[in-house]
Each structure stands twice: as structure tokens, then as C-alpha cells.
Amino acid sequence: MSESDSVMRAMTDDGAFRIVAARTTDTARAVVAAQKLSGQMAQDMADLVTSAVLYRETMAPSLRVQCLVRFAEGMGQMVADSHPDGWCRGLLQTPRPDSPPDLREVPATLEMMRTLPNSELHRGVVEVPESGNLSEAFMRYMQLSEQIVSMISLGSSLDGDRTAVGGYVVQLLPEAAEAEAAMETMTQRLEAFVDIRERLRESDASPSRLIEQIFEGMPFTWLHESEVRFGCQCSDVRVMTTLSLLDRSEIQELVDEGEPLSIGCDYCGTFYTVEIAQLQGLLSAS
């Protein structure tokens, strides 16, 4: 199996189809561990992380994107971030961490967001089907919000050393000649790739191998490969910047408590210690 997570893009030489395929095994495993998830919620989070990677690579390779599953009935949300530098992270926010919501039992929406070059926010929202299938929800988003015909499969198998996570997006390009016939042919071909979990667990599984299998017999050109990894943008500087936004009275209260302040990142679990002298420095600066 591929030594590290990555995402690859390719296009058929006749200009009919583009494909983006990703291996996100290590990234998803790290996200699940950081969020202390298990069972079905862990699998759903892994799929959402793959969704974010594929969404960014497909629609906005140079932009940070965010994918959210919002549960109805105030049951919280799942969040996945994907950054152009390759790092990804995930977060579960729910009022009942010990009993997280199940996509197959609680209605939910899938929201995809990216910041455009002009700083405007592009956002699309679709309903997650009752089956809880995020592949179907992602396809629905691409069709309704982006008006791009796409076939998508996300796969997560969280099983210790045999853990395998990944997915692909195959798109019919506008330049495709006889688009209807081409789409019908590709749809039939992808029937064998609807559930890709077993393929992801194969010894030679990798994004390139998956692309070769899907485009077998079709001349195509490799376009780009990039790294994917677990990461976070939290830092000491961001912690201090956030604290500097507090009212002076609130900072003074922290100083008066006389104990260093410990702040943990909800995404990655990293803890930062802010000493009294640093809090006093914020008072002097304000």
C-alpha cells in the first residue's frame, strides 16, 4: 500500500472525463484518534475528511475548504477542513459526546464552503439522504450547487492495521463529445467501484492504482499529485491573538486568579499554557 496519503488527478485524452482520487488513511486515522471517535461516527468522520480533500482538489486546489454535516434537532455537527498546503483536520461538536448522533437516524445536511479569490464565500447545502450515505450527498451537492455531473465514492474501513480510507470523483467535462453516451459508458464501468473499501485494502492500493483501474483501456494523462496529512493551524500566536480580543476586565480576572491559563485545541488536542506574565503583557498592550 502507498506509504503516505496523497491525492492524484488525471484526465482522459479525449477530454471526456477528469478524475481525482485520494488515499486518506493516515489522515483520517489521526483525526478519528484526536476526536476520540469510534464505531459508525468514526467512519462518517473519515468519509467527511475524504470529502473535504476531494472537494478542494476538484473545485479549489489553491483554497482552503470546509465541509460540515449539520445534524437536526440541535444534535451538533461534524466539520472537516482541507488546506492547500495539504493538512486536514476534523471536529465533532455535539451536546452528547458519549452518544453522538447517527446519520442514519438523525436528519442532517451537508454544507460545502470555500473562500473565493475575491474573498467572497461560496456555500452550498444539500440534504443527506436517509441512508446516511455521504457519497450520495456529495454527488447531490456537485450536481445542484456546482452543476457538474460527478460520480463519487467514499470508502472507510477502520480496522486496526487494515484501516483503509479514500475515495474518488469522476467528472464529465463540458468539452466531452457525445456526452450522454460517454456518461452511460462510464456509469456502467463505475458500477464495480460503488463500494471501494475492499479495493482500498488491497496490497497495491493507491490513488494511482485506483485511477488506472477506473480508466483501464482508456488513454489518459496524469495531471498532478499532492500530499495529504493530518495537521492543524493552531499555534501560540493564535492563542494570544484570541486572548487579546477579550475585554480588559476579563483579562484582569485571569491575571487575578494567579494561575497559568491552559487552553486546548478542539481539533488536534494540543494544549497551550499562557503564563501570568503573558496575560499581564496583554493588559499593558491594551
Side-chain angles (χ1 to χ4, degrees), residues 12 14-18 149 151 170-190 214-215 218:
T12 55
D14 62 4
F17 296 100
R18 178 176 69 157
V149 178
M151 290 156 285
V170 174
Q171 294 183 318
L172 178 68
L173 298 177
E175 297 81 6
E178 301 181 2
E180 185 174 343
M183 190 64 191
E184 182 177 351
T185 300
M186 181 57 72
T187 299
Q188 293 175 351
R189 174 177 293 229
L190 290 178
I214 291 175
F215 280 170
M218 305 172 69

PDB file of all heavy atoms in Angstrom, residues 12 14-18 149 151 170-190 214-215 218:
ATOM      1  N   THR A  12      -8.841  11.847 -19.189  1.00  0.00           N
ATOM      2  CA  THR A  12      -8.784  11.026 -20.389  1.00  0.00           C
ATOM      3  C   THR A  12      -8.337  11.890 -21.563  1.00  0.00           C
ATOM      4  O   THR A  12      -8.659  13.078 -21.642  1.00  0.00           O
ATOM      5  CB  THR A  12     -10.153  10.398 -20.693  1.00  0.00           C
ATOM      6  OG1 THR A  12     -11.152  11.430 -20.791  1.00  0.00           O
ATOM      7  CG2 THR A  12     -10.550   9.414 -19.616  1.00  0.00           C
ATOM      8  N   ASP A  14      -9.279  12.018 -24.530  1.00  0.00           N
ATOM      9  CA  ASP A  14     -10.326  12.553 -25.396  1.00  0.00           C
ATOM     10  C   ASP A  14     -11.068  13.726 -24.754  1.00  0.00           C
ATOM     11  O   ASP A  14     -11.992  14.281 -25.341  1.00  0.00           O
ATOM     12  CB  ASP A  14     -11.336  11.460 -25.778  1.00  0.00           C
ATOM     13  CG  ASP A  14     -12.058  10.877 -24.560  1.00  0.00           C
ATOM     14  OD1 ASP A  14     -11.842  11.364 -23.429  1.00  0.00           O
ATOM     15  OD2 ASP A  14     -12.847   9.924 -24.757  1.00  0.00           O
ATOM     16  N   GLY A  15     -10.650  14.112 -23.545  1.00  0.00           N
ATOM     17  CA  GLY A  15     -11.252  15.261 -22.878  1.00  0.00           C
ATOM     18  C   GLY A  15     -12.621  15.009 -22.307  1.00  0.00           C
ATOM     19  O   GLY A  15     -13.326  15.955 -21.938  1.00  0.00           O
ATOM     20  N   ALA A  16     -13.020  13.754 -22.201  1.00  0.00           N
ATOM     21  CA  ALA A  16     -14.370  13.447 -21.720  1.00  0.00           C
ATOM     22  C   ALA A  16     -14.470  13.437 -20.199  1.00  0.00           C
ATOM     23  O   ALA A  16     -15.464  13.900 -19.629  1.00  0.00           O
ATOM     24  CB  ALA A  16     -14.835  12.103 -22.273  1.00  0.00           C
ATOM     25  N   PHE A  17     -13.443  12.906 -19.529  1.00  0.00           N
ATOM     26  CA  PHE A  17     -13.536  12.733 -18.086  1.00  0.00           C
ATOM     27  C   PHE A  17     -12.278  13.203 -17.365  1.00  0.00           C
ATOM     28  O   PHE A  17     -11.164  13.078 -17.868  1.00  0.00           O
ATOM     29  CB  PHE A  17     -13.758  11.255 -17.731  1.00  0.00           C
ATOM     30  CG  PHE A  17     -15.059  10.699 -18.223  1.00  0.00           C
ATOM     31  CD1 PHE A  17     -15.094   9.940 -19.389  1.00  0.00           C
ATOM     32  CD2 PHE A  17     -16.240  10.955 -17.543  1.00  0.00           C
ATOM     33  CE1 PHE A  17     -16.296   9.422 -19.852  1.00  0.00           C
ATOM     34  CE2 PHE A  17     -17.443  10.447 -18.008  1.00  0.00           C
ATOM     35  CZ  PHE A  17     -17.473   9.682 -19.165  1.00  0.00           C
ATOM     36  N   ARG A  18     -12.519  13.711 -16.170  1.00  0.00           N
ATOM     37  CA  ARG A  18     -11.444  14.024 -15.236  1.00  0.00           C
ATOM     38  C   ARG A  18     -11.677  13.213 -13.972  1.00  0.00           C
ATOM     39  O   ARG A  18     -12.821  12.990 -13.570  1.00  0.00           O
ATOM     40  CB  ARG A  18     -11.421  15.513 -14.894  1.00  0.00           C
ATOM     41  CG  ARG A  18     -10.334  15.876 -13.891  1.00  0.00           C
ATOM     42  CD  ARG A  18     -10.267  17.361 -13.629  1.00  0.00           C
ATOM     43  NE  ARG A  18     -11.437  17.854 -12.905  1.00  0.00           N
ATOM     44  CZ  ARG A  18     -11.437  18.964 -12.182  1.00  0.00           C
ATOM     45  NH1 ARG A  18     -10.345  19.706 -12.106  1.00  0.00           N
ATOM     46  NH2 ARG A  18     -12.532  19.363 -11.562  1.00  0.00           N
ATOM     47  N   VAL A 149     -21.735  17.233 -13.486  1.00  0.00           N
ATOM     48  CA  VAL A 149     -22.082  15.816 -13.378  1.00  0.00           C
ATOM     49  C   VAL A 149     -20.878  15.067 -12.811  1.00  0.00           C
ATOM     50  O   VAL A 149     -19.804  15.062 -13.407  1.00  0.00           O
ATOM     51  CB  VAL A 149     -22.481  15.236 -14.750  1.00  0.00           C
ATOM     52  CG1 VAL A 149     -22.786  13.743 -14.615  1.00  0.00           C
ATOM     53  CG2 VAL A 149     -23.699  15.985 -15.303  1.00  0.00           C
ATOM     54  N   MET A 151     -19.504  11.490 -10.457  1.00  0.00           N
ATOM     55  CA  MET A 151     -19.723  10.189  -9.821  1.00  0.00           C
ATOM     56  C   MET A 151     -18.680  10.050  -8.728  1.00  0.00           C
ATOM     57  O   MET A 151     -17.480  10.221  -8.979  1.00  0.00           O
ATOM     58  CB  MET A 151     -19.609   9.070 -10.856  1.00  0.00           C
ATOM     59  CG  MET A 151     -20.777   9.061 -11.838  1.00  0.00           C
ATOM     60  SD  MET A 151     -20.376   8.266 -13.420  1.00  0.00           S
ATOM     61  CE  MET A 151     -19.352   9.528 -14.194  1.00  0.00           C
ATOM     62  N   VAL A 170     -15.184  11.290 -10.262  1.00  0.00           N
ATOM     63  CA  VAL A 170     -15.074  11.251 -11.720  1.00  0.00           C
ATOM     64  C   VAL A 170     -16.074  12.257 -12.280  1.00  0.00           C
ATOM     65  O   VAL A 170     -17.259  12.204 -11.953  1.00  0.00           O
ATOM     66  CB  VAL A 170     -15.372   9.850 -12.285  1.00  0.00           C
ATOM     67  CG1 VAL A 170     -15.393   9.903 -13.818  1.00  0.00           C
ATOM     68  CG2 VAL A 170     -14.335   8.848 -11.813  1.00  0.00           C
ATOM     69  N   GLN A 171     -15.598  13.176 -13.114  1.00  0.00           N
ATOM     70  CA  GLN A 171     -16.450  14.234 -13.659  1.00  0.00           C
ATOM     71  C   GLN A 171     -16.520  14.167 -15.177  1.00  0.00           C
ATOM     72  O   GLN A 171     -15.504  13.943 -15.847  1.00  0.00           O
ATOM     73  CB  GLN A 171     -15.924  15.611 -13.243  1.00  0.00           C
ATOM     74  CG  GLN A 171     -16.010  15.865 -11.751  1.00  0.00           C
ATOM     75  CD  GLN A 171     -15.537  17.264 -11.397  1.00  0.00           C
ATOM     76  OE1 GLN A 171     -14.544  17.753 -11.929  1.00  0.00           O
ATOM     77  NE2 GLN A 171     -16.250  17.914 -10.496  1.00  0.00           N
ATOM     78  N   LEU A 172     -17.710  14.378 -15.690  1.00  0.00           N
ATOM     79  CA  LEU A 172     -17.909  14.523 -17.124  1.00  0.00           C
ATOM     80  C   LEU A 172     -17.584  15.962 -17.496  1.00  0.00           C
ATOM     81  O   LEU A 172     -18.193  16.896 -16.972  1.00  0.00           O
ATOM     82  CB  LEU A 172     -19.357  14.191 -17.497  1.00  0.00           C
ATOM     83  CG  LEU A 172     -19.731  14.351 -18.971  1.00  0.00           C
ATOM     84  CD1 LEU A 172     -19.003  13.302 -19.809  1.00  0.00           C
ATOM     85  CD2 LEU A 172     -21.242  14.218 -19.160  1.00  0.00           C
ATOM     86  N   LEU A 173     -16.615  16.158 -18.372  1.00  0.00           N
ATOM     87  CA  LEU A 173     -16.177  17.506 -18.723  1.00  0.00           C
ATOM     88  C   LEU A 173     -17.080  18.133 -19.795  1.00  0.00           C
ATOM     89  O   LEU A 173     -17.629  17.424 -20.650  1.00  0.00           O
ATOM     90  CB  LEU A 173     -14.735  17.470 -19.218  1.00  0.00           C
ATOM     91  CG  LEU A 173     -13.723  16.965 -18.176  1.00  0.00           C
ATOM     92  CD1 LEU A 173     -12.321  16.899 -18.776  1.00  0.00           C
ATOM     93  CD2 LEU A 173     -13.728  17.847 -16.939  1.00  0.00           C
ATOM     94  N   PRO A 174     -17.241  19.455 -19.758  1.00  0.00           N
ATOM     95  CA  PRO A 174     -18.115  20.151 -20.716  1.00  0.00           C
ATOM     96  C   PRO A 174     -17.722  19.911 -22.164  1.00  0.00           C
ATOM     97  O   PRO A 174     -18.560  19.946 -23.070  1.00  0.00           O
ATOM     98  CB  PRO A 174     -17.954  21.629 -20.336  1.00  0.00           C
ATOM     99  CG  PRO A 174     -17.499  21.609 -18.916  1.00  0.00           C
ATOM    100  CD  PRO A 174     -16.642  20.384 -18.792  1.00  0.00           C
ATOM    101  N   GLU A 175     -16.416  19.664 -22.410  1.00  0.00           N
ATOM    102  CA  GLU A 175     -15.927  19.502 -23.770  1.00  0.00           C
ATOM    103  C   GLU A 175     -16.200  18.110 -24.340  1.00  0.00           C
ATOM    104  O   GLU A 175     -15.904  17.831 -25.512  1.00  0.00           O
ATOM    105  CB  GLU A 175     -14.418  19.763 -23.820  1.00  0.00           C
ATOM    106  CG  GLU A 175     -13.995  21.174 -23.433  1.00  0.00           C
ATOM    107  CD  GLU A 175     -13.931  21.362 -21.929  1.00  0.00           C
ATOM    108  OE1 GLU A 175     -14.100  20.355 -21.215  1.00  0.00           O
ATOM    109  OE2 GLU A 175     -13.729  22.497 -21.477  1.00  0.00           O
ATOM    110  N   ALA A 176     -16.786  17.222 -23.533  1.00  0.00           N
ATOM    111  CA  ALA A 176     -16.977  15.836 -23.963  1.00  0.00           C
ATOM    112  C   ALA A 176     -17.898  15.751 -25.163  1.00  0.00           C
ATOM    113  O   ALA A 176     -19.002  16.299 -25.178  1.00  0.00           O
ATOM    114  CB  ALA A 176     -17.549  15.004 -22.812  1.00  0.00           C
ATOM    115  N   ALA A 177     -17.419  15.060 -26.197  1.00  0.00           N
ATOM    116  CA  ALA A 177     -18.260  14.808 -27.369  1.00  0.00           C
ATOM    117  C   ALA A 177     -19.190  13.648 -27.053  1.00  0.00           C
ATOM    118  O   ALA A 177     -18.808  12.702 -26.362  1.00  0.00           O
ATOM    119  CB  ALA A 177     -17.377  14.475 -28.575  1.00  0.00           C
ATOM    120  N   GLU A 178     -20.418  13.725 -27.564  1.00  0.00           N
ATOM    121  CA  GLU A 178     -21.400  12.679 -27.283  1.00  0.00           C
ATOM    122  C   GLU A 178     -21.445  12.397 -25.785  1.00  0.00           C
ATOM    123  O   GLU A 178     -21.259  11.269 -25.322  1.00  0.00           O
ATOM    124  CB  GLU A 178     -21.078  11.407 -28.069  1.00  0.00           C
ATOM    125  CG  GLU A 178     -21.048  11.615 -29.580  1.00  0.00           C
ATOM    126  CD  GLU A 178     -20.736  10.319 -30.322  1.00  0.00           C
ATOM    127  OE1 GLU A 178     -20.587   9.285 -29.655  1.00  0.00           O
ATOM    128  OE2 GLU A 178     -20.658  10.354 -31.559  1.00  0.00           O
ATOM    129  N   ALA A 179     -21.696  13.456 -25.024  1.00  0.00           N
ATOM    130  CA  ALA A 179     -21.635  13.375 -23.567  1.00  0.00           C
ATOM    131  C   ALA A 179     -22.564  12.319 -22.993  1.00  0.00           C
ATOM    132  O   ALA A 179     -22.203  11.597 -22.066  1.00  0.00           O
ATOM    133  CB  ALA A 179     -21.962  14.743 -22.972  1.00  0.00           C
ATOM    134  N   GLU A 180     -23.761  12.203 -23.547  1.00  0.00           N
ATOM    135  CA  GLU A 180     -24.722  11.246 -22.995  1.00  0.00           C
ATOM    136  C   GLU A 180     -24.218   9.810 -23.120  1.00  0.00           C
ATOM    137  O   GLU A 180     -24.291   9.021 -22.166  1.00  0.00           O
ATOM    138  CB  GLU A 180     -26.073  11.395 -23.706  1.00  0.00           C
ATOM    139  CG  GLU A 180     -27.165  10.526 -23.100  1.00  0.00           C
ATOM    140  CD  GLU A 180     -28.523  10.801 -23.721  1.00  0.00           C
ATOM    141  OE1 GLU A 180     -28.688  11.868 -24.366  1.00  0.00           O
ATOM    142  OE2 GLU A 180     -29.418   9.950 -23.554  1.00  0.00           O
ATOM    143  N   ALA A 181     -23.681   9.481 -24.279  1.00  0.00           N
ATOM    144  CA  ALA A 181     -23.167   8.132 -24.489  1.00  0.00           C
ATOM    145  C   ALA A 181     -21.950   7.872 -23.605  1.00  0.00           C
ATOM    146  O   ALA A 181     -21.799   6.788 -23.026  1.00  0.00           O
ATOM    147  CB  ALA A 181     -22.798   7.930 -25.961  1.00  0.00           C
ATOM    148  N   ALA A 182     -21.079   8.879 -23.486  1.00  0.00           N
ATOM    149  CA  ALA A 182     -19.881   8.732 -22.654  1.00  0.00           C
ATOM    150  C   ALA A 182     -20.265   8.536 -21.200  1.00  0.00           C
ATOM    151  O   ALA A 182     -19.679   7.709 -20.486  1.00  0.00           O
ATOM    152  CB  ALA A 182     -18.988   9.960 -22.800  1.00  0.00           C
ATOM    153  N   MET A 183     -21.289   9.280 -20.766  1.00  0.00           N
ATOM    154  CA  MET A 183     -21.716   9.173 -19.381  1.00  0.00           C
ATOM    155  C   MET A 183     -22.306   7.791 -19.093  1.00  0.00           C
ATOM    156  O   MET A 183     -22.059   7.202 -18.035  1.00  0.00           O
ATOM    157  CB  MET A 183     -22.759  10.267 -19.078  1.00  0.00           C
ATOM    158  CG  MET A 183     -23.083  10.405 -17.609  1.00  0.00           C
ATOM    159  SD  MET A 183     -21.618  10.942 -16.706  1.00  0.00           S
ATOM    160  CE  MET A 183     -22.166  10.697 -15.029  1.00  0.00           C
ATOM    161  N   GLU A 184     -23.067   7.278 -20.036  1.00  0.00           N
ATOM    162  CA  GLU A 184     -23.672   5.965 -19.857  1.00  0.00           C
ATOM    163  C   GLU A 184     -22.595   4.884 -19.744  1.00  0.00           C
ATOM    164  O   GLU A 184     -22.668   3.986 -18.892  1.00  0.00           O
ATOM    165  CB  GLU A 184     -24.610   5.647 -21.022  1.00  0.00           C
ATOM    166  CG  GLU A 184     -25.322   4.306 -20.869  1.00  0.00           C
ATOM    167  CD  GLU A 184     -26.292   4.040 -22.006  1.00  0.00           C
ATOM    168  OE1 GLU A 184     -26.535   4.963 -22.819  1.00  0.00           O
ATOM    169  OE2 GLU A 184     -26.820   2.909 -22.077  1.00  0.00           O
ATOM    170  N   THR A 185     -21.558   5.004 -20.592  1.00  0.00           N
ATOM    171  CA  THR A 185     -20.462   4.045 -20.556  1.00  0.00           C
ATOM    172  C   THR A 185     -19.725   4.099 -19.228  1.00  0.00           C
ATOM    173  O   THR A 185     -19.421   3.065 -18.617  1.00  0.00           O
ATOM    174  CB  THR A 185     -19.476   4.317 -21.705  1.00  0.00           C
ATOM    175  OG1 THR A 185     -20.159   4.188 -22.952  1.00  0.00           O
ATOM    176  CG2 THR A 185     -18.307   3.344 -21.651  1.00  0.00           C
ATOM    177  N   MET A 186     -19.430   5.309 -18.758  1.00  0.00           N
ATOM    178  CA  MET A 186     -18.699   5.456 -17.503  1.00  0.00           C
ATOM    179  C   MET A 186     -19.547   5.005 -16.313  1.00  0.00           C
ATOM    180  O   MET A 186     -19.035   4.390 -15.373  1.00  0.00           O
ATOM    181  CB  MET A 186     -18.249   6.908 -17.309  1.00  0.00           C
ATOM    182  CG  MET A 186     -17.447   7.140 -16.037  1.00  0.00           C
ATOM    183  SD  MET A 186     -15.940   6.110 -15.896  1.00  0.00           S
ATOM    184  CE  MET A 186     -14.890   6.903 -17.125  1.00  0.00           C
ATOM    185  N   THR A 187     -20.839   5.275 -16.357  1.00  0.00           N
ATOM    186  CA  THR A 187     -21.723   4.845 -15.274  1.00  0.00           C
ATOM    187  C   THR A 187     -21.714   3.331 -15.137  1.00  0.00           C
ATOM    188  O   THR A 187     -21.644   2.795 -14.026  1.00  0.00           O
ATOM    189  CB  THR A 187     -23.162   5.334 -15.518  1.00  0.00           C
ATOM    190  OG1 THR A 187     -23.175   6.773 -15.565  1.00  0.00           O
ATOM    191  CG2 THR A 187     -24.090   4.876 -14.404  1.00  0.00           C
ATOM    192  N   GLN A 188     -21.763   2.626 -16.271  1.00  0.00           N
ATOM    193  CA  GLN A 188     -21.716   1.168 -16.245  1.00  0.00           C
ATOM    194  C   GLN A 188     -20.377   0.678 -15.705  1.00  0.00           C
ATOM    195  O   GLN A 188     -20.314  -0.264 -14.924  1.00  0.00           O
ATOM    196  CB  GLN A 188     -21.966   0.612 -17.652  1.00  0.00           C
ATOM    197  CG  GLN A 188     -23.383   0.864 -18.170  1.00  0.00           C
ATOM    198  CD  GLN A 188     -23.548   0.416 -19.603  1.00  0.00           C
ATOM    199  OE1 GLN A 188     -22.593   0.060 -20.287  1.00  0.00           O
ATOM    200  NE2 GLN A 188     -24.791   0.441 -20.087  1.00  0.00           N
ATOM    201  N   ARG A 189     -19.301   1.357 -16.099  1.00  0.00           N
ATOM    202  CA  ARG A 189     -17.965   0.959 -15.650  1.00  0.00           C
ATOM    203  C   ARG A 189     -17.833   1.131 -14.143  1.00  0.00           C
ATOM    204  O   ARG A 189     -17.226   0.291 -13.462  1.00  0.00           O
ATOM    205  CB  ARG A 189     -16.920   1.798 -16.374  1.00  0.00           C
ATOM    206  CG  ARG A 189     -15.491   1.571 -15.891  1.00  0.00           C
ATOM    207  CD  ARG A 189     -14.515   2.386 -16.710  1.00  0.00           C
ATOM    208  NE  ARG A 189     -14.457   1.925 -18.081  1.00  0.00           N
ATOM    209  CZ  ARG A 189     -13.337   1.674 -18.752  1.00  0.00           C
ATOM    210  NH1 ARG A 189     -12.179   1.784 -18.140  1.00  0.00           N
ATOM    211  NH2 ARG A 189     -13.363   1.297 -19.990  1.00  0.00           N
ATOM    212  N   LEU A 190     -18.399   2.212 -13.615  1.00  0.00           N
ATOM    213  CA  LEU A 190     -18.232   2.518 -12.199  1.00  0.00           C
ATOM    214  C   LEU A 190     -19.146   1.709 -11.282  1.00  0.00           C
ATOM    215  O   LEU A 190     -19.061   1.847 -10.060  1.00  0.00           O
ATOM    216  CB  LEU A 190     -18.450   4.020 -11.953  1.00  0.00           C
ATOM    217  CG  LEU A 190     -17.353   4.936 -12.509  1.00  0.00           C
ATOM    218  CD1 LEU A 190     -17.696   6.395 -12.257  1.00  0.00           C
ATOM    219  CD2 LEU A 190     -15.999   4.596 -11.896  1.00  0.00           C
ATOM    220  N   ILE A 214      -9.990   2.418 -12.908  1.00  0.00           N
ATOM    221  CA  ILE A 214     -11.199   3.064 -13.420  1.00  0.00           C
ATOM    222  C   ILE A 214     -11.050   3.438 -14.890  1.00  0.00           C
ATOM    223  O   ILE A 214     -11.990   3.300 -15.684  1.00  0.00           O
ATOM    224  CB  ILE A 214     -11.527   4.313 -12.574  1.00  0.00           C
ATOM    225  CG1 ILE A 214     -11.966   3.885 -11.165  1.00  0.00           C
ATOM    226  CG2 ILE A 214     -12.626   5.153 -13.235  1.00  0.00           C
ATOM    227  CD1 ILE A 214     -12.210   5.033 -10.214  1.00  0.00           C
ATOM    228  N   PHE A 215      -9.867   3.890 -15.275  1.00  0.00           N
ATOM    229  CA  PHE A 215      -9.623   4.310 -16.667  1.00  0.00           C
ATOM    230  C   PHE A 215      -8.998   3.188 -17.505  1.00  0.00           C
ATOM    231  O   PHE A 215      -8.424   3.460 -18.558  1.00  0.00           O
ATOM    232  CB  PHE A 215      -8.708   5.530 -16.695  1.00  0.00           C
ATOM    233  CG  PHE A 215      -9.407   6.839 -16.404  1.00  0.00           C
ATOM    234  CD1 PHE A 215      -8.665   8.000 -16.200  1.00  0.00           C
ATOM    235  CD2 PHE A 215     -10.785   6.928 -16.347  1.00  0.00           C
ATOM    236  CE1 PHE A 215      -9.284   9.215 -15.944  1.00  0.00           C
ATOM    237  CE2 PHE A 215     -11.418   8.129 -16.081  1.00  0.00           C
ATOM    238  CZ  PHE A 215     -10.666   9.278 -15.883  1.00  0.00           C
ATOM    239  N   MET A 218      -8.599   3.103 -21.377  1.00  0.00           N
ATOM    240  CA  MET A 218      -8.872   4.466 -21.850  1.00  0.00           C
ATOM    241  C   MET A 218      -7.579   5.280 -21.757  1.00  0.00           C
ATOM    242  O   MET A 218      -7.043   5.450 -20.655  1.00  0.00           O
ATOM    243  CB  MET A 218      -9.977   5.122 -21.009  1.00  0.00           C
ATOM    244  CG  MET A 218     -11.267   4.332 -20.953  1.00  0.00           C
ATOM    245  SD  MET A 218     -12.453   5.042 -19.757  1.00  0.00           S
ATOM    246  CE  MET A 218     -12.880   6.580 -20.592  1.00  0.00           C
TER     247      MET A 218
END
